[in-house]
Structure formats: C-alpha cells, structure tokens
Amino acid sequence: MINIVLFGKPGAGKGTQAEFLKTKYNLTHLSTGDIFRFNIKNETDLGKLAKSYMDKGDLVPDEVTTKMLIEAVENNFDKDGFLFDGYPRTLSQSEALDAFLSKKETRLTATIALEADDKILIQRLLERGKTSGRPDDQDEEKIKNRYDEYNEKTAPLIEYYKKQGNFHAVNGMGSIEEITQRLTKVIDNL
Ligand code: AMP
C-alpha cells in the first residue's frame, strides 16, 4: 500500500492536488473537511456538532474526528492505499493514525507538505470564498483563526514526521500543473 498524508495550511491546494493524485495512484482520497461538510449538508448529528466548530474556524475535537476518519478507512480498503487530506491536524490525531495503521499491518509511506506564502494563501481563500459558499472562507477573522489553529496545533506535526523520516516539503506556489509535477516526482521516488 502507499499511504500518503497531504499536509499544508488552509488554501495550500491540498484538495485540488488530491483530485489528481488519487486517480494517478489509485488511492482512496479521504478529506475530513469534505466528510464534515457532507454531514452538515445532510444535517446529521455529527454535522451539527462539526458545524459549531467549523463555522468559527476552530478544529473539531480529536475524538470525534478520529472516530470518523477510522470508520472511513475501514470502509475503503479496496484501493492501493490512502490519500489523507486534512487529517491528521494534531499530535493526538497523528498518534491515533499511526496506531491504527500499525494494527492494520501497514503504515504511512510519506507525509508531503505543500508550502506557500501566507499572504498568497489568504488571498486564495478569500477568492475561493466567493464561490465555495464556505462560511469559513468568507471572513478574514475566521481565516485568521484557522491559521492560528494550524500554527499552534498542526505545525508541530512537521517535527513528528521528520523524526519518522517520511517528511517531504514541496513548493506549493506556481501553476496547478507545476505543483502536481513536483508532487508526482516525490511520490514516484518513494
Ligand atoms: P478543510 O476542508 O480541510 O479546510 O477543513 C475545514 C474545517 O473542518 C477545519 O477548519 C476544521 O474545523 C474541520 N476539520 C477538518 N479536518 C479536521 C481535523 N483533522 N481535525 C479537526 N478539525 C478538522
């Protein structure tokens, strides 16, 4: 199996790149943000709970998120691996994912960070907010809070994965095609 974590700040292009990579490498793409939004749209209990955090730009609590992610993995063991997009976002989530994959006798092959300048990312998010309908993309305060959450809770994961020896940083600035090429170069060399 190839199991990849696509990592990066909000707006870094994780979702856009995942769409291409999942097809090229026959991976199940799991975006926790997308699964939460699906639940919000369908007005499930999970959706109502998630919405109260997401609308403010806060992270949804670990237990809820990890339970949901693990269920999604369990139900999708039919491809050549997983592309995790937006999970893990905290140290506790990273540990939970490692423990779960190890129980399944597999592991993360690579963690790839898409790196880009904050100013450009915030502009990208505000642009996306005009058409995405996402309340968390439309308000600069909420966006700022998502960055604070990232810096405080998610950025420490870089050290965690560097220690594991599976961390790769990719320049996330440029055209979509250029970034895809950089990502495939990393994955093809794994
Ligand atoms: P995204 O679509 O990845 O930008 O996620 C949108 C929002 O969903 C985030 O701002 C969080 O509120 C929530 N979310 C998505 N993934 C996670 C996660 N792994 N842990 C906690 N909250 C998450």
Side-chain angles (χ1 to χ4, degrees), residues 10-11 14 31-34 36-37 50 53-62 65-66 68 85-90 93 125 128 134 136-137 146 149:
K14 302 185 292 291
S31 154
T32 38
D34 284 351
F36 282 136
R37 282 185 286 277
Y53 293 92
M54 288 168 75
D55 277 356
K56 288 183 271 174
D58 289 341
L59 291 185
V60 179
D62 284 338
T65 309
T66 294
M68 178 183 85
D85 160 8
Y87 186 99
R89 266 175 151 106
T90 65
Q93 293 181 13
L125 281 186
R128 182 171 85 182
R134 284 180 55 170
D136 60 345
D137 281 348
R146 288 161 69 196
E149 288 281 73

PDB file of all heavy atoms in Angstrom, residues 10-11 14 31-34 36-37 50 53-62 65-66 68 85-90 93 125 128 134 136-137 146 149, ligand 1:
ATOM      1  N   PRO A  10      -4.486  26.035   5.328  1.00  0.00           N
ATOM      2  CA  PRO A  10      -5.704  26.214   4.539  1.00  0.00           C
ATOM      3  C   PRO A  10      -5.393  27.003   3.268  1.00  0.00           C
ATOM      4  O   PRO A  10      -4.675  28.008   3.317  1.00  0.00           O
ATOM      5  CB  PRO A  10      -6.605  27.029   5.474  1.00  0.00           C
ATOM      6  CG  PRO A  10      -6.111  26.717   6.857  1.00  0.00           C
ATOM      7  CD  PRO A  10      -4.626  26.497   6.716  1.00  0.00           C
ATOM      8  N   GLY A  11      -5.889  26.515   2.141  1.00  0.00           N
ATOM      9  CA  GLY A  11      -5.672  27.216   0.875  1.00  0.00           C
ATOM     10  C   GLY A  11      -4.425  26.765   0.134  1.00  0.00           C
ATOM     11  O   GLY A  11      -4.148  27.226  -0.973  1.00  0.00           O
ATOM     12  N   LYS A  14      -4.379  21.453  -1.184  1.00  0.00           N
ATOM     13  CA  LYS A  14      -4.418  20.015  -0.888  1.00  0.00           C
ATOM     14  C   LYS A  14      -5.529  19.321  -1.672  1.00  0.00           C
ATOM     15  O   LYS A  14      -5.308  18.297  -2.309  1.00  0.00           O
ATOM     16  CB  LYS A  14      -4.641  19.769   0.616  1.00  0.00           C
ATOM     17  CG  LYS A  14      -3.588  20.385   1.524  1.00  0.00           C
ATOM     18  CD  LYS A  14      -3.787  20.000   2.977  1.00  0.00           C
ATOM     19  CE  LYS A  14      -5.023  20.569   3.629  1.00  0.00           C
ATOM     20  NZ  LYS A  14      -5.002  22.029   3.844  1.00  0.00           N
ATOM     21  N   SER A  31     -10.863  13.237   2.762  1.00  0.00           N
ATOM     22  CA  SER A  31     -10.742  14.604   3.266  1.00  0.00           C
ATOM     23  C   SER A  31     -11.701  14.755   4.434  1.00  0.00           C
ATOM     24  O   SER A  31     -12.919  14.658   4.256  1.00  0.00           O
ATOM     25  CB  SER A  31     -11.102  15.593   2.152  1.00  0.00           C
ATOM     26  OG  SER A  31     -11.576  16.805   2.714  1.00  0.00           O
ATOM     27  N   THR A  32     -11.153  14.962   5.625  1.00  0.00           N
ATOM     28  CA  THR A  32     -12.032  15.093   6.794  1.00  0.00           C
ATOM     29  C   THR A  32     -12.938  16.323   6.642  1.00  0.00           C
ATOM     30  O   THR A  32     -14.106  16.280   7.019  1.00  0.00           O
ATOM     31  CB  THR A  32     -11.206  15.170   8.099  1.00  0.00           C
ATOM     32  OG1 THR A  32     -10.029  15.926   7.860  1.00  0.00           O
ATOM     33  CG2 THR A  32     -10.832  13.791   8.593  1.00  0.00           C
ATOM     34  N   GLY A  33     -12.408  17.399   6.052  1.00  0.00           N
ATOM     35  CA  GLY A  33     -13.241  18.593   5.826  1.00  0.00           C
ATOM     36  C   GLY A  33     -14.443  18.247   4.942  1.00  0.00           C
ATOM     37  O   GLY A  33     -15.575  18.633   5.228  1.00  0.00           O
ATOM     38  N   ASP A  34     -14.194  17.490   3.854  1.00  0.00           N
ATOM     39  CA  ASP A  34     -15.290  17.105   2.950  1.00  0.00           C
ATOM     40  C   ASP A  34     -16.303  16.208   3.667  1.00  0.00           C
ATOM     41  O   ASP A  34     -17.509  16.335   3.462  1.00  0.00           O
ATOM     42  CB  ASP A  34     -14.751  16.338   1.724  1.00  0.00           C
ATOM     43  CG  ASP A  34     -14.092  17.265   0.711  1.00  0.00           C
ATOM     44  OD1 ASP A  34     -14.209  18.503   0.866  1.00  0.00           O
ATOM     45  OD2 ASP A  34     -13.462  16.752  -0.225  1.00  0.00           O
ATOM     46  N   PHE A  36     -16.962  16.142   6.855  1.00  0.00           N
ATOM     47  CA  PHE A  36     -17.749  17.007   7.760  1.00  0.00           C
ATOM     48  C   PHE A  36     -18.793  17.788   6.959  1.00  0.00           C
ATOM     49  O   PHE A  36     -19.956  17.866   7.356  1.00  0.00           O
ATOM     50  CB  PHE A  36     -16.848  17.991   8.512  1.00  0.00           C
ATOM     51  CG  PHE A  36     -16.091  17.382   9.674  1.00  0.00           C
ATOM     52  CD1 PHE A  36     -14.740  17.669   9.870  1.00  0.00           C
ATOM     53  CD2 PHE A  36     -16.718  16.560  10.592  1.00  0.00           C
ATOM     54  CE1 PHE A  36     -14.042  17.125  10.949  1.00  0.00           C
ATOM     55  CE2 PHE A  36     -16.025  16.011  11.676  1.00  0.00           C
ATOM     56  CZ  PHE A  36     -14.682  16.293  11.845  1.00  0.00           C
ATOM     57  N   ARG A  37     -18.377  18.366   5.820  1.00  0.00           N
ATOM     58  CA  ARG A  37     -19.338  19.174   5.033  1.00  0.00           C
ATOM     59  C   ARG A  37     -20.482  18.322   4.506  1.00  0.00           C
ATOM     60  O   ARG A  37     -21.631  18.766   4.469  1.00  0.00           O
ATOM     61  CB  ARG A  37     -18.609  19.909   3.889  1.00  0.00           C
ATOM     62  CG  ARG A  37     -17.849  21.154   4.373  1.00  0.00           C
ATOM     63  CD  ARG A  37     -17.236  21.938   3.224  1.00  0.00           C
ATOM     64  NE  ARG A  37     -16.077  21.272   2.676  1.00  0.00           N
ATOM     65  CZ  ARG A  37     -14.843  21.363   3.181  1.00  0.00           C
ATOM     66  NH1 ARG A  37     -14.594  22.113   4.234  1.00  0.00           N
ATOM     67  NH2 ARG A  37     -13.831  20.721   2.623  1.00  0.00           N
ATOM     68  N   ALA A  50     -20.025  19.301  14.215  1.00  0.00           N
ATOM     69  CA  ALA A  50     -18.861  19.812  13.478  1.00  0.00           C
ATOM     70  C   ALA A  50     -19.072  21.269  13.087  1.00  0.00           C
ATOM     71  O   ALA A  50     -18.156  22.092  13.180  1.00  0.00           O
ATOM     72  CB  ALA A  50     -18.608  18.957  12.239  1.00  0.00           C
ATOM     73  N   TYR A  53     -18.025  24.096  15.354  1.00  0.00           N
ATOM     74  CA  TYR A  53     -16.588  24.397  15.399  1.00  0.00           C
ATOM     75  C   TYR A  53     -16.120  25.013  14.074  1.00  0.00           C
ATOM     76  O   TYR A  53     -15.396  25.999  14.053  1.00  0.00           O
ATOM     77  CB  TYR A  53     -15.781  23.116  15.663  1.00  0.00           C
ATOM     78  CG  TYR A  53     -16.021  22.550  17.039  1.00  0.00           C
ATOM     79  CD1 TYR A  53     -17.003  21.594  17.257  1.00  0.00           C
ATOM     80  CD2 TYR A  53     -15.267  22.990  18.129  1.00  0.00           C
ATOM     81  CE1 TYR A  53     -17.233  21.080  18.525  1.00  0.00           C
ATOM     82  CE2 TYR A  53     -15.486  22.488  19.403  1.00  0.00           C
ATOM     83  CZ  TYR A  53     -16.480  21.526  19.586  1.00  0.00           C
ATOM     84  OH  TYR A  53     -16.695  21.035  20.845  1.00  0.00           O
ATOM     85  N   MET A  54     -16.546  24.386  12.975  1.00  0.00           N
ATOM     86  CA  MET A  54     -16.032  24.807  11.663  1.00  0.00           C
ATOM     87  C   MET A  54     -16.401  26.241  11.334  1.00  0.00           C
ATOM     88  O   MET A  54     -15.602  26.973  10.754  1.00  0.00           O
ATOM     89  CB  MET A  54     -16.564  23.873  10.571  1.00  0.00           C
ATOM     90  CG  MET A  54     -15.910  22.516  10.631  1.00  0.00           C
ATOM     91  SD  MET A  54     -16.735  21.305   9.600  1.00  0.00           S
ATOM     92  CE  MET A  54     -16.219  21.797   7.974  1.00  0.00           C
ATOM     93  N   ASP A  55     -17.619  26.643  11.695  1.00  0.00           N
ATOM     94  CA  ASP A  55     -18.055  28.000  11.361  1.00  0.00           C
ATOM     95  C   ASP A  55     -17.176  29.058  12.008  1.00  0.00           C
ATOM     96  O   ASP A  55     -17.080  30.181  11.534  1.00  0.00           O
ATOM     97  CB  ASP A  55     -19.522  28.205  11.777  1.00  0.00           C
ATOM     98  CG  ASP A  55     -20.476  27.658  10.720  1.00  0.00           C
ATOM     99  OD1 ASP A  55     -19.979  27.200   9.671  1.00  0.00           O
ATOM    100  OD2 ASP A  55     -21.695  27.685  10.938  1.00  0.00           O
ATOM    101  N   LYS A  56     -16.524  28.691  13.109  1.00  0.00           N
ATOM    102  CA  LYS A  56     -15.644  29.659  13.775  1.00  0.00           C
ATOM    103  C   LYS A  56     -14.195  29.526  13.297  1.00  0.00           C
ATOM    104  O   LYS A  56     -13.331  30.306  13.673  1.00  0.00           O
ATOM    105  CB  LYS A  56     -15.682  29.424  15.290  1.00  0.00           C
ATOM    106  CG  LYS A  56     -17.000  29.856  15.921  1.00  0.00           C
ATOM    107  CD  LYS A  56     -16.974  29.681  17.424  1.00  0.00           C
ATOM    108  CE  LYS A  56     -17.455  28.288  17.767  1.00  0.00           C
ATOM    109  NZ  LYS A  56     -17.382  27.886  19.139  1.00  0.00           N
ATOM    110  N   GLY A  57     -13.942  28.454  12.533  1.00  0.00           N
ATOM    111  CA  GLY A  57     -12.552  28.209  12.115  1.00  0.00           C
ATOM    112  C   GLY A  57     -11.775  27.438  13.159  1.00  0.00           C
ATOM    113  O   GLY A  57     -10.544  27.358  13.103  1.00  0.00           O
ATOM    114  N   ASP A  58     -12.494  26.842  14.143  1.00  0.00           N
ATOM    115  CA  ASP A  58     -11.829  26.010  15.157  1.00  0.00           C
ATOM    116  C   ASP A  58     -11.724  24.573  14.660  1.00  0.00           C
ATOM    117  O   ASP A  58     -12.557  24.135  13.847  1.00  0.00           O
ATOM    118  CB  ASP A  58     -12.662  25.968  16.455  1.00  0.00           C
ATOM    119  CG  ASP A  58     -12.635  27.284  17.205  1.00  0.00           C
ATOM    120  OD1 ASP A  58     -11.724  28.094  16.948  1.00  0.00           O
ATOM    121  OD2 ASP A  58     -13.534  27.489  18.043  1.00  0.00           O
ATOM    122  N   LEU A  59     -10.771  23.827  15.207  1.00  0.00           N
ATOM    123  CA  LEU A  59     -10.706  22.401  14.887  1.00  0.00           C
ATOM    124  C   LEU A  59     -11.827  21.669  15.614  1.00  0.00           C
ATOM    125  O   LEU A  59     -12.188  22.010  16.745  1.00  0.00           O
ATOM    126  CB  LEU A  59      -9.360  21.805  15.320  1.00  0.00           C
ATOM    127  CG  LEU A  59      -8.124  22.256  14.548  1.00  0.00           C
ATOM    128  CD1 LEU A  59      -6.900  21.470  15.019  1.00  0.00           C
ATOM    129  CD2 LEU A  59      -8.313  22.078  13.044  1.00  0.00           C
ATOM    130  N   VAL A  60     -12.364  20.642  14.979  1.00  0.00           N
ATOM    131  CA  VAL A  60     -13.356  19.769  15.605  1.00  0.00           C
ATOM    132  C   VAL A  60     -12.581  18.877  16.589  1.00  0.00           C
ATOM    133  O   VAL A  60     -11.432  18.512  16.309  1.00  0.00           O
ATOM    134  CB  VAL A  60     -14.067  18.925  14.506  1.00  0.00           C
ATOM    135  CG1 VAL A  60     -15.088  17.989  15.109  1.00  0.00           C
ATOM    136  CG2 VAL A  60     -14.715  19.850  13.474  1.00  0.00           C
ATOM    137  N   PRO A  61     -13.176  18.534  17.751  1.00  0.00           N
ATOM    138  CA  PRO A  61     -12.409  17.751  18.733  1.00  0.00           C
ATOM    139  C   PRO A  61     -11.837  16.442  18.160  1.00  0.00           C
ATOM    140  O   PRO A  61     -12.446  15.808  17.295  1.00  0.00           O
ATOM    141  CB  PRO A  61     -13.438  17.455  19.828  1.00  0.00           C
ATOM    142  CG  PRO A  61     -14.425  18.560  19.724  1.00  0.00           C
ATOM    143  CD  PRO A  61     -14.497  18.911  18.266  1.00  0.00           C
ATOM    144  N   ASP A  62     -10.665  16.076  18.693  1.00  0.00           N
ATOM    145  CA  ASP A  62      -9.929  14.909  18.189  1.00  0.00           C
ATOM    146  C   ASP A  62     -10.741  13.617  18.186  1.00  0.00           C
ATOM    147  O   ASP A  62     -10.718  12.872  17.216  1.00  0.00           O
ATOM    148  CB  ASP A  62      -8.675  14.678  19.055  1.00  0.00           C
ATOM    149  CG  ASP A  62      -7.581  15.674  18.744  1.00  0.00           C
ATOM    150  OD1 ASP A  62      -7.583  16.249  17.634  1.00  0.00           O
ATOM    151  OD2 ASP A  62      -6.726  15.894  19.620  1.00  0.00           O
ATOM    152  N   THR A  65     -13.243  13.478  15.393  1.00  0.00           N
ATOM    153  CA  THR A  65     -12.615  13.458  14.067  1.00  0.00           C
ATOM    154  C   THR A  65     -11.950  12.111  13.811  1.00  0.00           C
ATOM    155  O   THR A  65     -12.084  11.528  12.729  1.00  0.00           O
ATOM    156  CB  THR A  65     -11.570  14.589  13.975  1.00  0.00           C
ATOM    157  OG1 THR A  65     -12.189  15.809  14.378  1.00  0.00           O
ATOM    158  CG2 THR A  65     -11.040  14.745  12.580  1.00  0.00           C
ATOM    159  N   THR A  66     -11.240  11.615  14.802  1.00  0.00           N
ATOM    160  CA  THR A  66     -10.514  10.356  14.608  1.00  0.00           C
ATOM    161  C   THR A  66     -11.482   9.190  14.415  1.00  0.00           C
ATOM    162  O   THR A  66     -11.274   8.340  13.546  1.00  0.00           O
ATOM    163  CB  THR A  66      -9.577  10.111  15.810  1.00  0.00           C
ATOM    164  OG1 THR A  66      -8.579  11.138  15.784  1.00  0.00           O
ATOM    165  CG2 THR A  66      -8.899   8.755  15.731  1.00  0.00           C
ATOM    166  N   MET A  68     -14.429   9.289  13.135  1.00  0.00           N
ATOM    167  CA  MET A  68     -14.991   9.415  11.792  1.00  0.00           C
ATOM    168  C   MET A  68     -13.983   8.963  10.727  1.00  0.00           C
ATOM    169  O   MET A  68     -14.319   8.240   9.788  1.00  0.00           O
ATOM    170  CB  MET A  68     -15.374  10.877  11.567  1.00  0.00           C
ATOM    171  CG  MET A  68     -15.920  11.176  10.198  1.00  0.00           C
ATOM    172  SD  MET A  68     -16.244  12.936  10.046  1.00  0.00           S
ATOM    173  CE  MET A  68     -14.633  13.549   9.552  1.00  0.00           C
ATOM    174  N   ASP A  85      -6.178  13.853   3.467  1.00  0.00           N
ATOM    175  CA  ASP A  85      -6.172  15.286   3.139  1.00  0.00           C
ATOM    176  C   ASP A  85      -6.873  16.023   4.287  1.00  0.00           C
ATOM    177  O   ASP A  85      -8.068  15.874   4.480  1.00  0.00           O
ATOM    178  CB  ASP A  85      -6.903  15.427   1.786  1.00  0.00           C
ATOM    179  CG  ASP A  85      -7.420  16.822   1.481  1.00  0.00           C
ATOM    180  OD1 ASP A  85      -7.117  17.764   2.215  1.00  0.00           O
ATOM    181  OD2 ASP A  85      -8.148  16.944   0.470  1.00  0.00           O
ATOM    182  N   GLY A  86      -6.084  16.752   5.063  1.00  0.00           N
ATOM    183  CA  GLY A  86      -6.677  17.488   6.191  1.00  0.00           C
ATOM    184  C   GLY A  86      -6.727  16.669   7.465  1.00  0.00           C
ATOM    185  O   GLY A  86      -7.328  17.083   8.458  1.00  0.00           O
ATOM    186  N   TYR A  87      -6.144  15.526   7.469  1.00  0.00           N
ATOM    187  CA  TYR A  87      -6.009  14.681   8.659  1.00  0.00           C
ATOM    188  C   TYR A  87      -4.650  14.007   8.566  1.00  0.00           C
ATOM    189  O   TYR A  87      -4.312  13.512   7.501  1.00  0.00           O
ATOM    190  CB  TYR A  87      -7.111  13.610   8.713  1.00  0.00           C
ATOM    191  CG  TYR A  87      -7.086  12.817  10.016  1.00  0.00           C
ATOM    192  CD1 TYR A  87      -7.950  13.127  11.061  1.00  0.00           C
ATOM    193  CD2 TYR A  87      -6.169  11.783  10.196  1.00  0.00           C
ATOM    194  CE1 TYR A  87      -7.906  12.419  12.263  1.00  0.00           C
ATOM    195  CE2 TYR A  87      -6.109  11.087  11.392  1.00  0.00           C
ATOM    196  CZ  TYR A  87      -6.977  11.404  12.408  1.00  0.00           C
ATOM    197  OH  TYR A  87      -6.930  10.718  13.609  1.00  0.00           O
ATOM    198  N   PRO A  88      -3.857  13.934   9.620  1.00  0.00           N
ATOM    199  CA  PRO A  88      -4.074  14.487  10.948  1.00  0.00           C
ATOM    200  C   PRO A  88      -3.789  15.986  11.021  1.00  0.00           C
ATOM    201  O   PRO A  88      -3.049  16.531  10.207  1.00  0.00           O
ATOM    202  CB  PRO A  88      -3.058  13.721  11.788  1.00  0.00           C
ATOM    203  CG  PRO A  88      -1.969  13.350  10.848  1.00  0.00           C
ATOM    204  CD  PRO A  88      -2.603  13.164   9.515  1.00  0.00           C
ATOM    205  N   ARG A  89      -4.359  16.627  12.024  1.00  0.00           N
ATOM    206  CA  ARG A  89      -4.121  18.056  12.254  1.00  0.00           C
ATOM    207  C   ARG A  89      -3.648  18.334  13.664  1.00  0.00           C
ATOM    208  O   ARG A  89      -3.402  19.487  13.998  1.00  0.00           O
ATOM    209  CB  ARG A  89      -5.415  18.825  12.020  1.00  0.00           C
ATOM    210  CG  ARG A  89      -5.574  19.393  10.611  1.00  0.00           C
ATOM    211  CD  ARG A  89      -6.950  20.007  10.551  1.00  0.00           C
ATOM    212  NE  ARG A  89      -7.095  21.090   9.647  1.00  0.00           N
ATOM    213  CZ  ARG A  89      -7.745  21.008   8.470  1.00  0.00           C
ATOM    214  NH1 ARG A  89      -8.248  19.872   8.068  1.00  0.00           N
ATOM    215  NH2 ARG A  89      -7.888  22.076   7.737  1.00  0.00           N
ATOM    216  N   THR A  90      -3.537  17.298  14.491  1.00  0.00           N
ATOM    217  CA  THR A  90      -2.990  17.460  15.844  1.00  0.00           C
ATOM    218  C   THR A  90      -2.093  16.252  16.122  1.00  0.00           C
ATOM    219  O   THR A  90      -2.219  15.216  15.450  1.00  0.00           O
ATOM    220  CB  THR A  90      -4.096  17.473  16.924  1.00  0.00           C
ATOM    221  OG1 THR A  90      -4.719  16.184  16.947  1.00  0.00           O
ATOM    222  CG2 THR A  90      -5.142  18.540  16.689  1.00  0.00           C
ATOM    223  N   GLN A  93      -4.011  13.171  16.823  1.00  0.00           N
ATOM    224  CA  GLN A  93      -4.532  12.529  15.611  1.00  0.00           C
ATOM    225  C   GLN A  93      -3.431  11.743  14.893  1.00  0.00           C
ATOM    226  O   GLN A  93      -3.663  10.648  14.378  1.00  0.00           O
ATOM    227  CB  GLN A  93      -5.137  13.569  14.664  1.00  0.00           C
ATOM    228  CG  GLN A  93      -6.402  14.228  15.202  1.00  0.00           C
ATOM    229  CD  GLN A  93      -6.999  15.240  14.234  1.00  0.00           C
ATOM    230  OE1 GLN A  93      -6.642  15.302  13.062  1.00  0.00           O
ATOM    231  NE2 GLN A  93      -7.912  16.057  14.736  1.00  0.00           N
ATOM    232  N   LEU A 125      -7.901  31.949  -0.424  1.00  0.00           N
ATOM    233  CA  LEU A 125      -9.085  31.536   0.345  1.00  0.00           C
ATOM    234  C   LEU A 125     -10.226  32.525   0.162  1.00  0.00           C
ATOM    235  O   LEU A 125     -11.375  32.118  -0.017  1.00  0.00           O
ATOM    236  CB  LEU A 125      -8.752  31.448   1.842  1.00  0.00           C
ATOM    237  CG  LEU A 125      -8.012  30.212   2.300  1.00  0.00           C
ATOM    238  CD1 LEU A 125      -7.890  30.221   3.817  1.00  0.00           C
ATOM    239  CD2 LEU A 125      -8.728  28.938   1.870  1.00  0.00           C
ATOM    240  N   ARG A 128     -11.706  31.905  -3.135  1.00  0.00           N
ATOM    241  CA  ARG A 128     -12.490  30.673  -3.122  1.00  0.00           C
ATOM    242  C   ARG A 128     -13.825  30.898  -2.415  1.00  0.00           C
ATOM    243  O   ARG A 128     -14.853  30.368  -2.809  1.00  0.00           O
ATOM    244  CB  ARG A 128     -11.681  29.575  -2.411  1.00  0.00           C
ATOM    245  CG  ARG A 128     -12.367  28.235  -2.385  1.00  0.00           C
ATOM    246  CD  ARG A 128     -11.427  27.157  -1.874  1.00  0.00           C
ATOM    247  NE  ARG A 128     -11.410  27.079  -0.431  1.00  0.00           N
ATOM    248  CZ  ARG A 128     -10.630  26.242   0.262  1.00  0.00           C
ATOM    249  NH1 ARG A 128      -9.800  25.434  -0.349  1.00  0.00           N
ATOM    250  NH2 ARG A 128     -10.672  26.208   1.577  1.00  0.00           N
ATOM    251  N   ARG A 134     -18.472  28.430   1.419  1.00  0.00           N
ATOM    252  CA  ARG A 134     -18.000  28.017   2.750  1.00  0.00           C
ATOM    253  C   ARG A 134     -17.908  29.218   3.670  1.00  0.00           C
ATOM    254  O   ARG A 134     -17.126  30.134   3.409  1.00  0.00           O
ATOM    255  CB  ARG A 134     -16.619  27.356   2.626  1.00  0.00           C
ATOM    256  CG  ARG A 134     -16.666  25.952   2.091  1.00  0.00           C
ATOM    257  CD  ARG A 134     -15.286  25.352   1.979  1.00  0.00           C
ATOM    258  NE  ARG A 134     -14.523  25.387   3.226  1.00  0.00           N
ATOM    259  CZ  ARG A 134     -13.385  24.751   3.403  1.00  0.00           C
ATOM    260  NH1 ARG A 134     -12.874  24.035   2.426  1.00  0.00           N
ATOM    261  NH2 ARG A 134     -12.743  24.839   4.559  1.00  0.00           N
ATOM    262  N   ASP A 136     -16.433  29.502   6.374  1.00  0.00           N
ATOM    263  CA  ASP A 136     -15.097  29.675   6.954  1.00  0.00           C
ATOM    264  C   ASP A 136     -14.086  30.238   5.959  1.00  0.00           C
ATOM    265  O   ASP A 136     -12.952  30.514   6.305  1.00  0.00           O
ATOM    266  CB  ASP A 136     -14.589  28.359   7.587  1.00  0.00           C
ATOM    267  CG  ASP A 136     -14.482  27.204   6.594  1.00  0.00           C
ATOM    268  OD1 ASP A 136     -15.057  27.301   5.490  1.00  0.00           O
ATOM    269  OD2 ASP A 136     -13.822  26.205   6.936  1.00  0.00           O
ATOM    270  N   ASP A 137     -14.487  30.410   4.675  1.00  0.00           N
ATOM    271  CA  ASP A 137     -13.603  31.038   3.686  1.00  0.00           C
ATOM    272  C   ASP A 137     -13.948  32.511   3.464  1.00  0.00           C
ATOM    273  O   ASP A 137     -13.271  33.192   2.704  1.00  0.00           O
ATOM    274  CB  ASP A 137     -13.758  30.353   2.307  1.00  0.00           C
ATOM    275  CG  ASP A 137     -12.997  29.031   2.215  1.00  0.00           C
ATOM    276  OD1 ASP A 137     -12.184  28.742   3.104  1.00  0.00           O
ATOM    277  OD2 ASP A 137     -13.242  28.304   1.240  1.00  0.00           O
ATOM    278  N   ARG A 146      -8.204  30.022  11.626  1.00  0.00           N
ATOM    279  CA  ARG A 146      -7.768  28.730  11.080  1.00  0.00           C
ATOM    280  C   ARG A 146      -6.245  28.671  10.991  1.00  0.00           C
ATOM    281  O   ARG A 146      -5.643  27.621  11.217  1.00  0.00           O
ATOM    282  CB  ARG A 146      -8.397  28.502   9.694  1.00  0.00           C
ATOM    283  CG  ARG A 146      -9.887  28.212   9.797  1.00  0.00           C
ATOM    284  CD  ARG A 146     -10.615  28.422   8.496  1.00  0.00           C
ATOM    285  NE  ARG A 146     -10.265  27.427   7.481  1.00  0.00           N
ATOM    286  CZ  ARG A 146     -10.527  27.589   6.180  1.00  0.00           C
ATOM    287  NH1 ARG A 146     -11.101  28.691   5.736  1.00  0.00           N
ATOM    288  NH2 ARG A 146     -10.211  26.645   5.341  1.00  0.00           N
ATOM    289  N   GLU A 149      -4.933  28.105  14.513  1.00  0.00           N
ATOM    290  CA  GLU A 149      -5.096  26.688  14.851  1.00  0.00           C
ATOM    291  C   GLU A 149      -3.985  25.873  14.184  1.00  0.00           C
ATOM    292  O   GLU A 149      -3.393  24.986  14.788  1.00  0.00           O
ATOM    293  CB  GLU A 149      -6.462  26.164  14.359  1.00  0.00           C
ATOM    294  CG  GLU A 149      -7.664  26.668  15.154  1.00  0.00           C
ATOM    295  CD  GLU A 149      -7.856  25.910  16.461  1.00  0.00           C
ATOM    296  OE1 GLU A 149      -7.047  26.138  17.374  1.00  0.00           O
ATOM    297  OE2 GLU A 149      -8.802  25.115  16.554  1.00  0.00           O
TER     298      GLU A 149
HETATM  299  P1  AMP B   1     -10.652  21.756   5.409  1.00  0.00           P
HETATM  300  O1  AMP B   1     -11.704  21.460   4.407  1.00  0.00           O
HETATM  301  O2  AMP B   1      -9.589  20.692   5.468  1.00  0.00           O
HETATM  302  O3  AMP B   1     -10.080  23.141   5.287  1.00  0.00           O
HETATM  303  O4  AMP B   1     -11.370  21.702   6.843  1.00  0.00           O
HETATM  304  C1  AMP B   1     -12.402  22.608   7.167  1.00  0.00           C
HETATM  305  C2  AMP B   1     -12.659  22.562   8.665  1.00  0.00           C
HETATM  306  O5  AMP B   1     -13.077  21.243   9.053  1.00  0.00           O
HETATM  307  C3  AMP B   1     -11.470  22.874   9.556  1.00  0.00           C
HETATM  308  O6  AMP B   1     -11.270  24.270   9.721  1.00  0.00           O
HETATM  309  C4  AMP B   1     -11.908  22.200  10.857  1.00  0.00           C
HETATM  310  O7  AMP B   1     -12.901  22.961  11.526  1.00  0.00           O
HETATM  311  C5  AMP B   1     -12.583  20.929  10.354  1.00  0.00           C
HETATM  312  N1  AMP B   1     -11.588  19.825  10.220  1.00  0.00           N
HETATM  313  C6  AMP B   1     -11.204  19.209   9.065  1.00  0.00           C
HETATM  314  N2  AMP B   1     -10.288  18.268   9.314  1.00  0.00           N
HETATM  315  C7  AMP B   1     -10.083  18.280  10.661  1.00  0.00           C
HETATM  316  C8  AMP B   1      -9.228  17.558  11.530  1.00  0.00           C
HETATM  317  N3  AMP B   1      -8.381  16.631  11.072  1.00  0.00           N
HETATM  318  N4  AMP B   1      -9.300  17.849  12.857  1.00  0.00           N
HETATM  319  C9  AMP B   1     -10.134  18.765  13.336  1.00  0.00           C
HETATM  320  N5  AMP B   1     -10.936  19.514  12.568  1.00  0.00           N
HETATM  321  C10 AMP B   1     -10.931  19.273  11.241  1.00  0.00           C
END
